[in-house]
Amino acid sequence: QLKAKGCDVKFGIHPVAGRMPGQMNVLLAEAGVPYDIVLEMDEINDDFSNTDLVLVLGANDTVNSAAEEDPNSQLAGMPVLKVWNSKQVIVMKRTLGVGYAAVDNPVFYKENTDMLLGDAKSTCDALASGIRERP
């Protein structure tokens, strides 16, 4: 729907996203997402500084800026999707809870981030409905 409205849409995948490597790629393929717009972390990270909006679904540690900004973090040095470099970030999660590493995510509190708490499927369905209704 966004592509039909002239938006450049891409999906960024962290190598360890999901319960096993490659799971998110498989799920996106099953959902009919064209493979050419599904990018690995190293392919998309440089694009974030030129990106208007990033929607983060359920991720925590894989988009945690502490990995780069806090040398004392348990995540220090871990490769992450640098979503905070975009103009706006919307994170969709059930809660503000920590991820697997049990580390707070500073991205959730950055000025360019909004949190959209709730069930991701319901939230995405509502967003898609709102996009369909807009000219």
Side-chain angles (χ1 to χ4, degrees):
Q1 294 168 357
L2 290 171
K3 287 181 75 80
K5 294 181 183 285
C7 296
D8 182 18
V9 176
K10 298 175 187 170
F11 290 78
I13 303 291
H14 192 281
V16 298
R19 301 205 183 273
M20 66 181 119
Q23 180 186 16
M24 298 311 297
N25 300 70
V26 171
L27 291 174
L28 289 172
E30 288 176 350
V33 175
Y35 186 74
D36 63 326
I37 65 170
V38 178
L39 304 175
E40 299 296 330
M41 178 181 63
D42 58 342
E43 297 174 300
I44 201 165
N45 262 342
D46 290 339
D47 293 349
F48 286 126
S49 61
N50 296 314
T51 301
D52 292 324
L53 175 65
V54 172
L55 296 175
V56 175
L57 284 96
N60 195 331
D61 297 338
T62 57
V63 297
N64 194 321
S65 62
E68 292 210 345
E69 298 170 347
D70 181 359
N72 298 314
S73 171
Q74 294 177 32
L75 298 175
M78 179 180 128
V80 292
L81 290 160
K82 301 175 186 176
V83 299
W84 62 91
N85 289 330
S86 69
K87 291 182 183 93
Q88 169 124 31
V89 179
I90 298 175
V91 177
M92 292 184 248
K93 288 180 48 107
R94 287 187 185 277
T95 70
L96 286 172
V98 297
Y100 182 77
V103 175
D104 281 330
N105 190 335
V107 172
F108 297 173
Y109 308 100
K110 291 187 181 286
E111 282 190 34
N112 65 332
T113 300
D114 290 302
M115 299 299 296
L116 189 51
L117 301 178
D119 177 72
K121 180 171 180 357
S122 299
T123 302
C124 286
D125 288 347
L127 288 173
S129 176
I131 290 167
R132 277 192 298 275
E133 293 171 5
R134 294 191 72 125

